[in-house]
């Protein structure tokens, strides 16, 4: 496939109000990570919109430009760019590129298009020399992953930005963020890294200065302070506090419970049909205990004994880590209950009731696509 064909298929779907020249410039910007130190030699800045328009129309070959940007190609940036669009747009991209990316879905169209774009550039250059498929931020993603997203409460912490770092695609929670090293001269540690949205990542990378670094350090300090003592996977204090709720579950007689007077819809939508035993267990727990558990958790939050949101985050991060291993739903449910039981030394049944509560609260399990 030639670049002009590739751009021509993309433009009607994600071109927005851009001219073909500006849109084509954006495509090349979204497939490269050119260091600030190279700004004076940035080949994308030197090109006019008319030149990019000729690349779009196919009247000018991209070989020379592709050769210049070859050492800076970063497919992960283009993936993030594609996944920044909503599900309907992703579906249209799958349809438009059905021939070039057979079998593509809204879950992998970003990767498929990134690979296709990279192959087009490689063909134009005629060499793989210098291609870099991972950005430095991927090192942080591999080491710290979703912990950075949870730390930011799922929202880009950069000033004047409120983009979500998690998006719902086909009923599944997908991460949409970049791991940014705060101080480029500092160590590769968790304390020197922050999760931001793809848009802010590109802006900061393109115009970083001392004041930006100082502000990022301040934001990170605030997040670390807010999360101090509540490590999402093993916070002893968090589980010590939740013990009070588990104890109430164990000692409250059935006649004091307030059952739901309706069918718990989220449970029905989130448990696959081949897991009927798990569905019946969660359905019973939710129907019998949801109202009381919700009341107890929020009451303890008001009394200052248990922070409700950090515990929600802890449950969610554990779920997502298990989900990323593609484990069956019954195994995930059992492991979450086991995690709670291990850290609280409370009865298994009470722990399963709390996990079921979070299934209904939509923190555990994704909706099943019909």
């Amino acid at each position: 496939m030639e670049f002009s064909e590739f751009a021509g298929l993309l433009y009607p779907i994600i071109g927005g109000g851009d001219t073909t020249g500006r849109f084509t410039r954006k495509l090349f910007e979204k497939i490269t990570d050119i260091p600030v130190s190279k700004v004076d030699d940035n080949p994308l800045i030197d090109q006019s919109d008319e030149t990019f328009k000729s690349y779009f129309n196919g009247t000018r070959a991209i070989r020379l430009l592709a050769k210049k940007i070859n050492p800076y190609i970063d497919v992960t940036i283009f993936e993030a760019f594609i996944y920044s669009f909503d599900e309907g747009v992703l579906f249209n991209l799958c349809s438009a590129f059905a021939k070039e990316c057979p079998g593509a879905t809204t879950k992998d169209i970003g990767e498929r298009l990134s690979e296709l774009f990279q192959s087009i550039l490689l063909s134009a250059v005629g060499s793989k020399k210098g291609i870099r498929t991972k950005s430095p931020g991927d090192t942080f993603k591999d080491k710290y992953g979703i912990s950075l997203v949870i730390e930011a409460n799922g929202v880009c912490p950069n000033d004047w930005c409120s983009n979500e770092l998690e998006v719902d695609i086909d009923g599944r929670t997908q991460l949409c963020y970049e791991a940014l090293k705060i101080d480029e001269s500092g160590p590769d540690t968790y304390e020197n890294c922050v999760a931001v949205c793809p848009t802010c990542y590109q802006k900061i990378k393109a115009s970083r200065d001392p004041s930006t670094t100082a502000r990022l350090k301040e934001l990170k300090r605030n997040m670390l302070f807010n999360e101090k003592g509540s490590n999402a996977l093993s916070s002893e204090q968090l589980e010590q506090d939740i013990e009070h709720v588990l104890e109430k579950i164990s000692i409250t007689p059935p006649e004091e419970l307030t059952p739901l007077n309706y069918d718990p819809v989220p449970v029905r939508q989130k448990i696959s049909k081949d897991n009927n035993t798990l569905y019946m267990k969660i359905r019973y727990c939710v129907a019998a205990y949801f109202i009381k558990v919700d009341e107890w958790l929020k009451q303890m939050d008001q009394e200052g004994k248990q922070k409700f949101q950090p515990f929600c985050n802890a449950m969610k991060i554990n779920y997502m880590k298990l989900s990323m291993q593609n484990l069956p739903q019954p195994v995930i449910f059992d492991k979450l209950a086991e995690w709670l039981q291990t850290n609280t030394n409370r009865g298994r049944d009470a722990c399963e009731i709390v996990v079921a509560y979070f299934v209904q609260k939509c923190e555990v399990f994704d909706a099943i696509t019909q």
Side-chain angles (χ1 to χ4, degrees), residues 11 23 58 79 101 103 124-125 135 141 144-145 177 221 224 337:
Y11 183 68
F23 174 70
E79 288 175 20
C101 304
V125 174
S135 67
K141 280 188 174 182
Y144 310 121
Y177 78 102
R221 280 195 301 271
L224 290 173

Side-chain angles (χ1 to χ4, degrees), residues 199-239:
T199 300
C200 286
Y201 179 83
Q202 288 302 308
K203 289 180 179 178
I204 294 171
K205 292 283 286 185
S207 58
R208 182 190 289 270
D209 56 36
S211 63
T212 301
T213 300
R215 179 55 180 157
L216 288 172
K217 287 181 178 180
E218 182 182 0
L219 291 171
K220 182 68 176 186
R221 280 195 301 271
N222 291 338
M223 287 188 286
L224 290 173
F225 177 79
N226 291 336
E227 292 296 317
K228 186 177 181 181
S230 61
N231 179 277
L233 291 178
S234 61
S235 169
E236 294 183 7
Q237 185 61 44
L238 193 62
E239 279 76 40

Side-chain angles (χ1 to χ4, degrees), residues 4-257:
S4 58
E5 299 174 80
F6 178 74
L9 289 175
L10 289 175
Y11 183 68
I13 303 173
I14 62 174
D18 287 339
T19 63
T20 56
R22 289 175 58 190
F23 174 70
T24 304
R25 181 190 296 276
K26 181 185 293 184
L27 292 182
F28 283 103
E29 289 174 345
K30 297 297 184 181
I31 194 71
T32 55
D33 184 13
I34 301 176
V36 176
S37 59
K38 300 287 186 180
V39 66
D40 292 336
D41 301 319
N42 188 333
L44 301 181
I45 296 178
D46 295 338
Q47 308 273 349
S48 68
D49 282 354
E50 281 299 312
T51 300
F52 281 106
K53 180 179 178 180
S54 65
Y55 293 144
F56 180 91
N57 295 331
T59 56
R60 183 190 295 256
I62 65 168
R63 186 179 67 83
L64 292 179
L65 178 60
K67 186 175 181 179
K68 290 179 180 179
I69 66 173
N70 185 22
Y72 310 111
I73 291 177
D74 187 343
V75 295
T76 63
I77 298 175
F78 196 75
E79 288 175 20
F81 169 60
I82 294 298
Y83 286 129
S84 68
F85 295 98
D86 62 34
E87 185 179 351
V89 173
L90 298 179
F91 180 81
N92 290 337
L93 289 172
C94 292
S95 300
F97 287 88
K99 180 180 178 181
E100 293 75 16
C101 304
T105 68
T106 55
K107 296 183 179 69
D108 66 3
I109 188 63
E111 289 87 345
R112 300 288 292 275
L113 290 179
S114 298
E115 292 170 0
L116 178 60
F117 195 179
Q118 177 179 306
S119 69
I120 291 171
L121 295 172
L122 287 175
S123 297
V125 174
S127 169
K128 293 186 178 182
K129 183 179 180 180
I131 282 292
R132 177 166 56 85
T133 59
K134 281 196 173 185
S135 67
D138 286 333
T139 301
F140 292 109
K141 280 188 174 182
D142 294 339
K143 292 174 69 174
Y144 310 121
I146 191 177
S147 297
L148 294 168
V149 176
I150 295 296
E151 174 189 62
N153 289 321
V155 177
C156 180
N158 196 28
D159 292 330
W160 314 112
C161 182
S162 58
N163 289 336
E164 294 187 0
L165 305 180
E166 307 168 46
V167 294
D168 187 273
I169 299 176
D170 288 345
R172 293 185 61 84
T173 300
Q174 302 287 332
L175 299 181
C176 182
Y177 78 102
E178 294 295 333
L180 178 70
K181 188 172 182 179
I182 297 172
D183 186 346
E184 293 182 316
S185 63
D188 294 341
T189 60
Y190 181 83
E191 292 74 16
N192 193 35
C193 182
V194 65
V196 296
C197 71
T199 300
C200 286
Y201 179 83
Q202 288 302 308
K203 289 180 179 178
I204 294 171
K205 292 283 286 185
S207 58
R208 182 190 289 270
D209 56 36
S211 63
T212 301
T213 300
R215 179 55 180 157
L216 288 172
K217 287 181 178 180
E218 182 182 0
L219 291 171
K220 182 68 176 186
R221 280 195 301 271
N222 291 338
M223 287 188 286
L224 290 173
F225 177 79
N226 291 336
E227 292 296 317
K228 186 177 181 181
S230 61
N231 179 277
L233 291 178
S234 61
S235 169
E236 294 183 7
Q237 185 61 44
L238 193 62
E239 279 76 40
Q240 287 172 6
D241 290 336
I242 204 66
E243 282 186 31
H244 299 291
V245 173
L246 295 171
E247 182 180 8
K248 286 190 175 185
I249 291 173
S250 301
I251 65 176
T252 300
E255 58 267 21
E256 292 185 16
L257 297 175

